[in-house]
Amino acid sequence: MNYDQIFDQAIERLHSEGRYRVFIDILRNKGMFPNARCFAGHNGPKPITVWCSNDYLAMGQHPAVIEAMEEALHDVGAGSGGTRNIGGNTHYHVELERELADLHGKEGALLFTSGYVSNDATLSTLAKLLPGCIIFSDELNHASMIAGIRNSGCEKQVWRHNDLAHLEELLEAADPEAPKLIAFESVYSMDGDVAPIHEICDLADKYNALTYIDEVHAVGMYGPRGGGISDRDDAKERITIIEGTLGKAFGVMGGYIAADTRIIDCIRSYAPGFIFTTSLSPVLVAGALASVKHLKASSVEREGQQAAAANLKAMLREAGLPVMDSVTHIVPLMVGDPVKTKKISDVLLAEYGVYVQPINYPTVPRGTERLRFTPGPSHTEEMMRELTEALVEIWERLEMRKAA
């Protein structure tokens, strides 16, 4: 058995398919986002503009967040000291969970080390606690949700994306006595579309199902206090469990769920992904706490982001570029070929100082490869014009078809 050959062949397959992932070597410039420095392939750092960050509102650069983290570092030190059970249950953790529960109108909340872990740990644990549970999963759910459902070992029914008729067909055919959970996202980050939350909740009520919503691409950005699409659409009271992240619009790191205290206590007590891992550093929690508090009171960042997204979509469309329909802050530009998608990304970085990662399979289906732009309140109109002009030039250079 030639192990090295097997590994080499696995990597070569990715290269030949144009979907080998390259992680860029950059440093952001504090207080100047989306400006950053790129260290890859240069004698010295090259200035670039970041167009694909999930720090959607630039809260990772916000003075209140940085100040809170610095204060916590000097007050309690760097690490948490262990798991929540042993030594890592700081007052910062307790206070942030209270703020998150309040944000979503729930009785309690529970912190995890990432949004991936919160989905995996919660979904796998929840289904194991419900004998004979059937999980009804939207076909475009995130990999972390799919992993959690798989790890639960329960029956899974996949319904076509946002297709309410198909979801009801599956619910109606299921054992009426079986526990049921409908799992879906609010904002789907690759297409930028939104789930019909109230209609899904109507079906959950009709068929006695629990509901689980992933709001990671919406928390901080939608709703009067940043509680997500379920907050914006006055649906949060109808959702059993709301899952979110602290690493995107809130600009720091971590994941969480919000629900009634009974469910929170069950996940806290049974989920290995929570019990057996070192808790988030209090420095990170302090920063997230400051960010959540700020965005509960301020809509300036949300309004700036929505304006930037609308402006960039309009510019790309006017230039004849194939921007996909999106009702959110996500601005996807269809390419449809993995090699060309990577080529465009490389040219943008090397020649124009524009950083946007190619989105290829398995993140999106084959044939739908794309560039995914995330304009925020700090992206200026001049940056958008320069980006649009660069894309037009590259489209013409590669002799690619523009939008009809």
Side-chain angles (χ1 to χ4, degrees):
M1 177 67 68
N2 188 332
Y3 295 107
D4 289 344
Q5 184 180 34
I6 292 173
F7 296 140
D8 288 341
Q9 288 174 345
I11 295 299
E12 180 54 36
R13 285 197 300 272
L14 297 178
H15 279 293
S16 65
E17 294 172 9
R19 58 187 187 94
Y20 178 76
R21 297 172 187 261
V22 177
F23 298 159
I24 193 171
D25 182 1
I26 67 170
L27 286 174
R28 299 199 292 177
N29 302 323
K30 189 182 82 168
M32 299 177 64
F33 187 78
N35 295 309
R37 293 157 281 166
C38 177
F39 293 82
H42 308 291
N43 294 326
K46 172 185 175 180
I48 61 171
T49 304
V50 178
W51 278 100
C52 56
S53 174
N54 284 342
D55 186 359
Y56 290 128
L57 303 180
M59 289 304 295
Q61 305 286 308
H62 197 281
V65 174
I66 294 171
E67 181 181 358
M69 295 179 75
E70 289 176 339
E71 288 181 1
L73 178 64
H74 292 292
D75 184 27
V76 301
S80 67
T83 65
R84 294 284 292 274
N85 181 56
I86 293 176
N89 192 57
T90 74
H91 185 64
Y92 290 107
H93 292 77
V94 174
E95 191 174 357
L96 179 54
E97 286 174 342
R98 288 173 181 160
E99 285 289 339
L100 292 168
D102 173 75
L103 175 66
H104 294 293
K106 299 299 183 184
E107 294 176 346
L110 191 66
L111 284 174
F112 294 84
T113 51
S114 73
Y116 189 105
V117 174
S118 56
N119 270 334
D120 187 359
T122 303
L123 285 167
S124 61
T125 301
L126 194 66
K128 288 176 182 175
L129 292 173
L130 298 170
C133 180
I134 305 170
I135 296 184
F136 299 84
S137 176
D138 186 287
E139 68 176 339
L140 293 189
N141 277 343
H142 189 264
S144 58
M145 300 176 75
I146 295 170
I149 295 168
R150 183 185 300 116
N151 291 336
S152 73
C154 74
E155 180 182 348
K156 177 181 71 173
Q157 297 281 338
V158 178
W159 46 291
R160 291 187 293 272
H161 178 53
N162 279 350
D163 188 331
L164 296 168
H166 188 218
L167 174 59
E168 180 161 24
E169 179 184 322
L170 295 176
L171 287 165
E172 191 173 27
D175 179 358
E177 299 302 317
K180 301 172 184 66
L181 174 67
I182 303 173
F184 61 104
E185 300 183 38
S186 61
V187 172
Y188 289 85
S189 64
M190 292 301 119
D191 293 347
D193 58 342
V194 173
I197 300 177
H198 278 292
E199 290 83 353
I200 292 172
C201 289
D202 289 341
L203 291 176
D205 291 343
K206 182 176 179 179
Y207 293 96
N208 192 28
L210 303 176
T211 48
Y212 182 101
I213 189 170
D214 176 317
E215 286 262 35
V216 298
H217 290 280
V219 289
M221 294 171 281
Y222 297 90
R225 298 195 306 159
I229 299 294
S230 59
D231 183 22
R232 184 197 72 179
D233 294 353
D234 293 322
K236 59 182 182 290
E237 295 85 1
R238 305 188 67 188
I239 302 292
T240 311
I241 301 174
I242 297 175
E243 185 267 347
T245 183
L246 304 167
K248 292 183 170 60
F250 292 125
V252 190
M253 179 182 177
Y256 66 90
I257 59 169
D260 68 38
T261 52
R262 183 181 294 104
I263 290 176
I264 294 296
D265 200 19
C266 280
I267 303 302
R268 181 189 71 87
S269 302
Y270 283 93
F274 173 81
I275 298 170
F276 297 108
T277 189
T278 300
S279 66
L280 286 168
S281 161
V283 175
L284 295 171
V285 179
L289 178 61
S291 184
V292 172
K293 286 182 175 180
H294 177 84
L295 289 174
K296 277 184 175 180
S298 174
S299 292
V300 173
E301 294 81 7
R302 287 188 280 276
E303 292 168 359
Q305 181 197 41
Q306 291 298 320
N311 198 7
L312 181 59
K313 290 174 189 176
M315 285 188 184
L316 296 177
R317 287 196 184 99
E318 186 176 344
L321 293 164
V323 61
M324 299 168 62
D325 289 334
S326 165
V327 296
T328 62
H329 59 282
I330 306 294
V331 184
L333 191 64
M334 179 59 68
V335 180
D337 178 270
V339 175
K340 287 184 177 178
T341 307
K342 179 67 166 60
K343 177 67 174 177
I344 297 167
S345 173
D346 290 344
V347 172
L348 282 170
L349 183 62
E351 299 183 21
Y352 292 95
V354 167
Y355 173 48
V356 58
Q357 273 284 28
I359 305 296
N360 292 334
Y361 176 84
T363 306
V364 295
R366 297 181 193 275
T368 67
E369 294 82 5
R370 67 199 67 177
L371 300 171
R372 174 184 174 272
F373 298 94
T374 54
S378 300
H379 286 92
T380 66
E381 188 169 333
E382 181 181 0
M383 290 175 181
M384 295 183 198
R385 280 198 302 269
E386 291 173 352
L387 171 64
T388 303
E389 291 169 1
L391 287 167
V392 168
E393 189 279 320
I394 296 170
W395 240 254
E396 292 173 351
R397 185 194 312 185
L398 299 182
E399 298 180 340
M400 293 172 58
R401 179 182 297 179
K402 288 190 177 181

